[in-house]
């Protein structure tokens, strides 16, 4: 596949993926009205729980649009992994293998999140698989952002490299504080998720803009 195809394709998929997640989340959250969904106290995973009226960790759960959010979870994993694997061609050797492995692990993790729900109402293995998938997805995506910030082969500005490392680091740090307070659990969880979604939009936009403006500047140079 020519670079003129895979580079812009990977960049566009990164952006589209972030947009589909935020859109699906907003629609699903808006449909949750009894009680109203809270971005501050509810986990993102609550939006995918199919058991209306269930209670988990003191939260009343009722997500009428749960199929949409679960589809978005799985789709995010597939799209993100696809985009990063394509863009990993901008690197070579061990760096490419590491990025590819992280992307594929993230993809598998997020598909698990979509298939197995974060509720105590289902089988014990379902919640365990959900939490495992979420942990893998969050860890791998934020690590990819940090690794991307260390690469010169992307031929992006120094400001981007600083941003990439910072946003990935803050994403991982946010997850440490998820359980600190019930009133802020949703805020910190989103810090660990929105970090890689923001990274996706910025990275995809910059790579696409550079490709369209001066394709020759984006070369397949080993990291």
């Amino acid at each position: 596949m020519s670079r003129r195809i895979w580079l812009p394709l990977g960049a566009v998929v990164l952006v589209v993926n972030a947009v589909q997640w935020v859109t699906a989340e907003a629609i699903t959250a808006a449909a949750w009205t009894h009680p109203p969904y809270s971005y501050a106290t509810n986990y993102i995973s609550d939006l995918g729980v199919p058991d209306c009226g269930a209670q988990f960790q003191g939260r009343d759960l009722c997500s009428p649009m749960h199929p949409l959010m679960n589809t978005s979870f799985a789709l995010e994993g597939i799209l993100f992994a696809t985009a990063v694997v394509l863009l990993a061609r901008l690197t070579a050797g061990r760096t490419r293998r590491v990025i590819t492995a992280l992307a594929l692990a993230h993809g598998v993790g997020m598909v698990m999140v979509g298939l197995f729900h974060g509720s105590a109402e289902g089988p014990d293995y379902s919640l365990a698989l959900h939490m495992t998938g979420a942990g893998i997805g969050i860890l791998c995506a934020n690590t990819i952002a940090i690794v991307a910030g260390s690469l010169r082969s992307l031929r992006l500005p120094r400001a981007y490299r600083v941003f990439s490392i910072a946003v990935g680091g803050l994403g991982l740090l946010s997850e440490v504080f998820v359980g600190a307070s019930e009133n802020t659990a949703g805020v910190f969880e989103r810090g660990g998720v929105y970090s890689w979604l923001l990274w996706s939009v910025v990275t995809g936009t910059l790579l696409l803009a550079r490709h369209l403006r001066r394709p020759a500047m984006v070369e397949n140079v080993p990291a």
Side-chain angles (χ1 to χ4, degrees):
M1 185 187 299
S2 168
R3 188 179 66 194
R4 292 186 177 182
I5 297 176
W6 61 255
L7 196 154
L9 178 60
V12 168
V13 171
L14 268 187
V15 176
V16 169
N17 180 44
V19 172
Q20 71 83 20
W21 173 297
V22 174
T23 301
E25 184 182 0
I27 293 172
T28 309
W32 178 320
T33 57
H34 301 293
Y37 181 82
S38 170
Y39 273 69
T41 59
N42 281 101
Y43 290 103
I44 302 174
S45 296
D46 291 348
L47 294 171
V49 175
D51 308 308
C52 188
Q55 192 175 72
F56 184 49
Q57 297 178 342
R59 304 185 306 279
D60 294 319
L61 307 181
C62 186
S63 181
M65 296 287 288
H66 62 269
L68 174 62
M69 198 68 241
N70 287 322
T71 300
S72 180
F73 288 148
L75 185 60
E76 192 284 331
I78 295 169
L79 292 178
F80 185 88
T82 299
V84 173
V85 168
L86 286 172
L87 295 175
R89 297 187 181 197
L90 291 169
T91 67
R94 184 171 61 181
T95 301
R96 180 185 294 185
R97 291 193 293 272
V98 168
I99 292 174
T100 299
L102 288 170
L104 294 177
H106 171 86
V108 172
M110 294 310 298
V111 169
M112 289 170 60
V113 170
L115 293 177
F116 304 100
H117 312 120
S119 169
E121 294 293 308
D124 290 341
Y125 71 82
S126 181
L127 179 59
L129 289 174
H130 177 89
M131 295 180 66
T132 299
I136 291 172
I138 291 170
L139 174 63
C140 290
N142 283 299
T143 301
I144 287 172
I146 294 172
V147 172
S150 69
L151 301 177
R152 296 183 180 274
S153 55
L154 297 183
R155 297 294 180 88
L156 293 175
R158 178 179 176 81
Y160 164 80
R161 298 176 62 192
V162 173
F163 155 80
S164 191
I165 293 173
V167 77
L170 288 173
L172 293 177
L173 183 62
S174 292
E175 290 302 307
V176 176
F177 295 99
V178 168
S181 170
E182 292 182 358
N183 296 324
T184 59
V187 173
F188 284 112
E189 185 197 30
R190 283 177 168 79
V193 172
Y194 289 178
S195 55
W196 89 67
L197 296 179
L198 176 60
W199 175 84
S200 296
V201 172
V202 172
T203 303
T205 300
L206 288 177
L207 285 174
L208 183 60
R210 182 172 287 264
H211 173 78
L212 294 175
R213 186 173 63 249
R214 296 182 64 184
M217 294 181 65
V218 185
E219 299 174 356
N220 190 3
V221 178

